[in-house]
Amino acid sequence: MKFGKRIKEQIQESLPEWRDKFLRYKELKNLISSPAPAESIFVGLLNAEIEKFNAFFVEQEEDFIIHHKELQYRIQRLVEKCGDNDDVMFREEIGEIRKDIVNFHGEMVLLVNYSNINYTGLTKILKKYDKRTGGALRSPFIQKVLRQPFFKTDLVSRLVREWETTMDAMFPALTREVEGYERSAAVSSAAAVSSAAAGEGIFRNTVAALMTMREMRRGSSTYGAYSLPPLNLSDSDLVLRPRHVPSPIPIPY
């Protein structure tokens, strides 16, 4: 799939309030196709895009840190309330917390994908510019990109791992079903998985993001110095989680 189509589909699959935060790939491509694409204008547009990515990414990251602490507090309070009591009494609250965790996990996966797809878009549009003009802009510009906040996903990825561990601890009864779902997702197309998750809101968006990351980061003959490292879904920290209300279970944390 051509990248222009991929980023268009990914924008459509993203959260509505995120859609104007992605790389304006088509606009940049049209500029390159103009009779005399001026480097100053092109670089100015790229810098504006990077500023947009950074502002959005940092804002989301800060919100995630706050939400992370709030969810931890809610879980601890629930554990204290449950004590040795039958947790059937707290089924509704357990279900709400689980839903919030799954949504939170999904948003973080979407942000990692946001970083991946915008970085990939920059490398591709710079390659097109160099090919069109005979210049050598890509290498020094990408070195600058690698130092930008939006490219550094370590913190968000760590939070993703932590909440996957929490979900495993809170809902062990789902482990076998989750593993089966992940195996099927790893070999399915994005369209098939999205169809299976239709109507599931952010979960559907998360599945589409995971499949996009898998496609962009798989090893291939086109893998190069500016490519993101391959992503293996079966071993990935970014796992798919089916969303449904669990039966009554203990909540260790």
Side-chain angles (χ1 to χ4, degrees), residues 2 19 86 108 117 179 181 197 201:
K2 289 186 177 296
R19 291 175 185 166
D86 187 343
M108 290 190 291
I117 201 163
E179 289 174 349
Y181 192 91

Side-chain angles (χ1 to χ4, degrees), residues 15 18 105-114 202 205-206 209:
L15 300 174
W18 289 31
H105 172 270
E107 288 180 3
M108 290 190 291
V109 171
L110 290 177
L111 190 64
V112 174
N113 181 59
Y114 172 85
I202 193 171
N205 298 339
T206 305

Side-chain angles (χ1 to χ4, degrees), residues 141-160:
F141 201 91
I142 290 300
Q143 292 306 311
K144 171 185 173 180
V145 170
L146 296 179
R147 299 190 296 270
Q148 300 303 310
F150 88 90
F151 183 75
K152 299 175 181 178
T153 60
D154 290 354
L155 173 59
V156 179
S157 295
R158 179 174 61 79
L159 291 177
V160 168

Side-chain angles (χ1 to χ4, degrees), residues 39-218:
E39 182 172 315
S40 60
I41 296 175
F42 181 69
V43 171
L45 288 174
L46 289 184
N47 285 330
E49 292 293 274
I50 288 174
E51 289 179 10
K52 177 179 70 178
F53 301 157
N54 285 339
F56 178 73
F57 188 92
V58 170
E59 180 182 15
Q60 293 299 311
E61 194 174 56
E62 290 173 350
D63 287 346
F64 288 163
I65 293 170
I66 295 170
H67 197 179
H68 169 74
K69 293 177 181 178
E70 290 175 345
L71 274 175
Q72 285 183 319
Y73 177 74
R74 287 173 61 195
I75 291 171
Q76 187 58 43
R77 287 294 304 273
L78 182 59
V79 170
E80 292 171 358
K81 285 195 295 183
C82 285
D84 297 327
N85 297 322
D86 187 343
D87 65 355
V88 171
M89 298 172 55
F90 302 98
R91 174 181 288 198
E92 183 175 348
E93 190 169 354
I94 290 170
E96 284 300 315
I97 287 179
R98 183 186 186 280
K99 179 181 176 182
D100 288 348
I101 291 173
V102 172
N103 284 341
F104 182 42
H105 172 270
E107 288 180 3
M108 290 190 291
V109 171
L110 290 177
L111 190 64
V112 174
N113 181 59
Y114 172 85
S115 171
N116 286 187
I117 201 163
N118 285 308
Y119 168 79
T120 302
L122 287 171
T123 65
K124 289 185 176 295
I125 205 68
L126 282 160
K127 181 179 179 180
K128 286 182 180 294
Y129 181 84
D130 284 354
K131 183 177 180 180
R132 172 75 170 80
T133 64
L137 183 60
R138 183 165 69 150
S139 181
F141 201 91
I142 290 300
Q143 292 306 311
K144 171 185 173 180
V145 170
L146 296 179
R147 299 190 296 270
Q148 300 303 310
F150 88 90
F151 183 75
K152 299 175 181 178
T153 60
D154 290 354
L155 173 59
V156 179
S157 295
R158 179 174 61 79
L159 291 177
V160 168
R161 291 193 296 272
E162 287 185 16
W163 284 104
E164 285 172 0
T165 300
T166 299
M167 285 191 284
D168 285 339
M170 292 178 68
F171 310 108
L174 296 178
T175 299
R176 287 189 298 275
E177 184 174 350
V178 168
E179 289 174 349
Y181 192 91
E182 289 168 1
R183 284 195 296 271
S184 66
V187 298
S188 298
S189 68
V193 177
S194 295
S195 176
E200 293 294 331
I202 193 171
F203 179 66
R204 177 175 57 80
N205 298 339
T206 305
V207 171
L210 280 166
M211 301 314 295
T212 296
M213 284 192 283
R214 180 173 180 264
E215 179 69 19
M216 288 193 304
R217 297 175 63 170
R218 66 182 180 183

